Each structure stands twice: as structure tokens, then as C-alpha cells.
Amino acid sequence: MLLLDVRMPVMDGLEAARRVCAEFPATKVIMLTTFDIDDYVFDALYAGASGFLLKDVRRDDLAHGVRMVASGEALLAPSVTKRLIGEFAARRPGTAERAVRPPSKLLEQLTLREQETLRLLARGLSNAEIAAELVVSEHTVKTHVSNVLSKLGLRDRVHAVVFAYESGAVVAGED
């Protein structure tokens, strides 16, 4: 587990995250910064970070966030989450453009249930909420989530959400 600042001497945190995540993919990285800038958030996620928090986070929330990421969850500061959703919604293509854009071929690796799980993940549902929606146990949901991450080569839930939107599995603004 690494807690990195975006701006550090010698090597910035984004480059450090890129290198560490490339060489040690199991390492979890949380970016902690005073800079609430969208480019830093996107760069951190693409670098492999599993969390992005602002330095004004309360100590208890930081500790909770570290535990969450260490257990395999992903974490974004609330203000960041709101802006990311807004960004995806703003990029929402028109109906004609969506009809032409084929979903990623990687989605074909997933079973229908795993695809459904991915879509529910992208809507921000917890394992318990996905279990209720699919009428299965939470253990089954964890298995589906694990399969999705493994088959698609994704690090965690945050990267699954990014993949879902970029692949066309989910379109912002649609349920």
C-alpha cells in the first residue's frame, strides 16, 4: 500500500504510481493531494491508483479510506466523484453516435451475469445492493466482481467503472 502526493520532489506521485503499478500490480495506491484538479484525478486512475483523496480529509476518514483500498475497494473524494460523474455525463454522445459505437470486444469475455454486474458496479452500487438487484448472495456478487476484474485485467472497482464507460457497456445518464 502506498500513499502518494501528486507533487513530490524528484519524481511526482503520478509517475511514481505509474511505475509502481506497472512493476508491482498488486500494490494499492492512494493519491493524497491539495490539488483538486480533474487532470490529476484522471492521470492517477490511469496510472493505476485505487484512491484519490484531498488533504483536507479528516484523519478518521483517511484511515477508513486506507483500510477500504487495502481490502480491494476503491475510493474517491466526494467532490471528485461528483465531478467525474458530471464529466462523463457531459461527454455523453447523441443517440445516433451511440448506435454506431460498438461495445468493446473485451466485454465478450464476460458472461451475461458478469456484464450485468459490471453495469451495476458502474452505477456505483455496493456488493449488497448488487446482490439485492440480481437476487443473489453477496458471496456470488464478490465472485462475479472478481471474475470481471480478472477477465478484463483490471485492478479494482474504480478501474472497472472507468472501463465500463469507456467500453460502451454503460452510457452516462442512462439507467
Side-chain angles (χ1 to χ4, degrees), residues 22-92:
E23 189 161 342
F24 306 100
T27 302
K28 303 295 184 184
V29 175
I30 297 175
M31 301 303 298
L32 184 65
T33 185
T34 56
F35 303 100
D36 191 6
I37 299 172
D38 289 346
D39 285 342
Y40 286 160
V41 176
F42 293 125
D43 288 348
L45 294 176
Y46 284 116
S50 298
F52 192 95
L53 292 173
L54 302 175
K55 285 188 178 177
D56 64 358
V57 67
R58 291 184 10 226
R59 183 175 18 170
D60 292 346
D61 291 337
L62 177 59
H64 177 71
V66 168
R67 284 191 297 276
M68 280 181 58
V69 171
S71 73
E73 296 294 323
L75 179 68
L76 295 175
S79 63
V80 170
T81 303
K82 183 177 179 181
R83 282 198 326 274
L84 277 176
I85 291 169
E87 177 74 21
F88 277 120
R91 292 182 183 184
R92 181 178 182 204

Side-chain angles (χ1 to χ4, degrees), residues 144-160:
H144 290 322
V145 170
S146 178
N147 289 344
V148 167
L149 297 177
S150 176
K151 287 180 179 181
L152 299 177
L154 303 170
R155 292 176 52 83
D156 53 40
R157 293 169 80 98
V158 167
H159 296 108

